[in-house]
Amino acid sequence: MGMFLMSKKHGGNKKIPRVMYIYCEGEKTEPLYLEAYISERSKRTLSVFKIPKTRKNTPEQLVDEAIKKKNSSSSAEGDVFWVVYDQEYLTPQSISCHQRAWNKANRNGINIAISCVCFELWLLLHFGYTTKTFSSYDNLISSSPLKKLIANYDKGSKLTYLAIRERIGTAKDNARKLAAYAKDNYKNKHEPYQFPCYTSFHKLLEAIDGF
C-alpha cells in the first residue's frame, strides 16, 4: 500500500500521509514506551503515529473511540487503528466486556494489542521466556523479578525503554514463542483475552516497523 492516500474529507482531491492511531489504556507506561520506540526505530516521522490522550479506560470504550475516529471525516482511507490494553483480573463481567470489545474491533477493522495479565509481562519477556501466570499487576510486581531486572521500575518513568531497548529483539522472539504456546495449551479458550499468560504487543511493534 502506498504511503499517501486520499482524504475522505476532501472528496479524494487531497493526498495526505497515512496515519497510525494507537489508543492506550495506560496514560504513561505504554505511550512512553511506544513514543521512544517510534523515535528510535521507525523509518517514518513521529507525526504519522498518533497516540491520542484519552480518558477512556475499558477495552470496549477504547475500541469505541478508535471506531469513532475511523468513521470520522478527520481520518483517511488506509489509516490504521490499534487499541492497547491489559486483560487484568478476569471475572464473568470483565470476560463479557472483553468479548464485546473483541467482536466490535474485529467487525470494524481495529487491531488489538492485549497483555495478559498486564503490560509488565511484555517487559519481563525482554529478559527471558516465561509462561508463568500472574493474577494481577500487583501479583506480577511482587512475585516476578521485574523490579530487580529494571532498577527502580516506575510505570511513569521515561527511563524504562532506555533500560531495555537492547533487548527488544529478545522480547519479540519470546512473545512469538509464548503466542504459539498459548494457542497449543489453551485450546479451551477461544480468544486471547481468556489466555492466562499472553501478549500481542509485539504485533503492534511489527506493524510500526512495517508502516
Side-chain angles (χ1 to χ4, degrees):
M1 189 179 288
M3 177 174 154
F4 292 94
L5 295 121
M6 299 299 176
S7 167
K8 292 186 288 194
K9 192 171 183 178
H10 294 85
N13 295 324
K14 185 182 177 187
K15 288 189 174 182
I16 57 172
R18 283 199 304 152
V19 175
M20 181 185 289
Y21 294 90
I22 307 170
Y23 291 84
C24 296
E25 169 189 48
E27 287 182 26
K28 292 182 178 176
T29 319
E30 295 90 333
L32 286 171
Y33 184 103
L34 287 166
E35 285 164 6
Y37 182 92
I38 290 163
S39 295
E40 182 180 60
R41 292 175 175 253
S42 175
K43 302 184 210 70
R44 310 283 298 283
T45 63
L46 201 57
S47 63
V48 300
F49 297 97
K50 309 281 188 193
I51 307 175
K53 291 199 182 318
T54 176
R55 295 191 176 187
K56 311 297 185 187
N57 60 6
T58 72
E60 197 172 9
Q61 286 174 339
L62 287 166
V63 170
D64 285 342
E65 192 96 333
I67 292 169
K68 183 179 171 185
K69 182 67 176 179
K70 185 176 183 181
N71 292 337
S72 76
S73 60
S74 61
S75 66
E77 297 292 342
D79 285 350
V80 175
F81 296 82
W82 282 81
V83 293
V84 181
Y85 54 80
D86 294 343
Q87 174 204 61
E88 296 176 346
Y89 179 68
L90 282 183
T91 63
Q93 186 178 3
S94 69
I95 287 173
S96 63
C97 175
H98 276 297
Q99 188 175 40
R100 286 194 304 272
W102 193 266
N103 292 340
K104 208 179 274 191
N106 285 339
R107 282 198 307 272
N108 289 276
I110 307 297
N111 302 286
I112 291 174
I114 186 171
S115 294
C116 310
V117 65
C118 59
F119 180 72
E120 282 69 19
L121 173 69
W122 164 254
L123 299 182
L124 268 182
L125 293 176
H126 288 66
F127 297 92
Y129 178 66
T130 184
T131 60
K132 182 173 169 60
T133 299
F134 301 99
S135 60
S136 64
Y137 165 80
D138 289 338
N139 174 239
L140 184 148
I141 291 298
S142 64
S143 63
S144 83
L146 186 67
K147 283 210 158 187
K148 290 177 185 166
L149 295 168
I150 304 176
N152 305 311
Y153 175 66
D154 172 5
K155 287 179 81 69
S157 173
K158 293 183 179 181
L159 301 177
T160 298
Y161 179 84
L162 295 174
I164 59 179
R165 56 197 279 272
E166 303 296 335
R167 299 174 175 271
I168 287 173
T170 299
K172 287 178 178 175
D173 289 343
N174 285 330
R176 290 185 201 107
K177 190 174 167 186
L178 183 57
Y181 171 88
K183 282 170 186 163
D184 284 346
N185 288 272
Y186 308 139
K187 289 183 177 170
N188 60 326
K189 312 288 186 190
H190 300 297
E191 303 292 0
Y193 57 81
Q194 295 183 308
F195 295 167
C197 181
Y198 173 80
T199 181
S200 54
F201 196 80
H202 64 293
K203 293 183 180 177
L204 169 56
L205 299 189
E206 287 164 359
I208 290 169
D209 294 345
F211 195 65

